[in-house]
Amino acid sequence: MNITKKIFIQSMVISMSLFLFNGITMVIRHFAGQDTVMLWYHPITTILTGVLCALPTLLLKNMDQWPPKVFVRRVALHGLTLYAMVAGMGRLLGWYEDLTGFLCISAIFWVVYVFVWLCSHWMDKQDEKKINQALNEIRDSE
């Protein structure tokens, strides 16, 4: 998949996942008797976070050619870098104020991280199927 397309799709998946899990968290907190408010800047900062968190994907180019040890180290570095970015942005932008909020943001981050990996893997497999199907059609026509 084209790297620009991959970054764009990951930006959208990350942003939408953050919106989804933020909404779920707000519903849970509402029914637990805690009022939550989404401030005017939260939607744009969520989208900005999605875009910024998609950019380190450039570190993972050509990962199918890496030895397993390098793959594990790079993915771990990628995940921890993104986690630090999200935790820092969350603190700076007021997404959480206490340890409970931080733990909630942390849990949401790791769920979204795994979800984005699964979506990316599925989309890559779909692209491979399309390419293989096109190659088979070309072979059949010859």
Side-chain angles (χ1 to χ4, degrees):
M1 181 185 307
N2 179 329
I3 194 70
T4 307
K5 179 180 173 185
K6 189 170 196 152
I7 289 174
F8 177 74
I9 290 172
Q10 282 191 354
S11 296
M12 290 181 49
V13 170
I14 293 167
S15 297
M16 293 306 297
S17 298
L18 290 172
F19 279 124
L20 174 69
F21 286 107
N22 190 21
I24 291 169
T25 302
M26 292 177 86
V27 168
I28 291 170
R29 291 183 67 160
H30 171 75
F31 285 113
Q34 301 170 341
D35 280 336
T36 57
V37 177
M38 182 175 269
L39 299 175
W40 64 270
Y41 60 86
H42 283 168
I44 194 68
T45 59
T46 300
I47 293 168
L48 178 64
T49 301
V51 172
L52 290 176
C53 287
L55 291 177
T57 301
L58 295 171
L59 297 172
L60 301 176
K61 278 177 49 174
N62 303 322
M63 66 183 167
D64 54 336
Q65 300 170 359
W66 300 340
K69 285 184 180 181
V70 173
F71 176 79
V72 170
R73 275 185 270 174
R74 286 239 182 140
V75 170
L77 178 63
H78 179 257
L80 292 173
T81 301
L82 291 179
Y83 179 65
M85 285 173 55
V86 169
M89 287 181 72
R91 184 70 180 146
L92 180 69
L93 299 170
W95 293 351
Y96 61 89
E97 297 172 359
D98 55 7
L99 181 61
T100 305
F102 173 74
L103 293 175
C104 186
I105 291 290
S106 296
I108 289 170
F109 170 80
W110 291 111
V111 169
V112 169
Y113 188 76
V114 170
F115 179 71
V116 170
W117 265 99
L118 293 173
C119 286
S120 295
H121 180 70
W122 180 77
M123 292 174 72
D124 288 344
K125 289 296 179 191
Q126 294 302 314
D127 283 349
E128 283 179 25
K129 285 181 184 178
K130 288 178 186 175
I131 290 168
N132 287 335
Q133 185 179 17
L135 289 173
N136 286 336
E137 288 174 6
I138 290 171
R139 281 189 215 131
D140 289 342
S141 67
E142 291 177 355

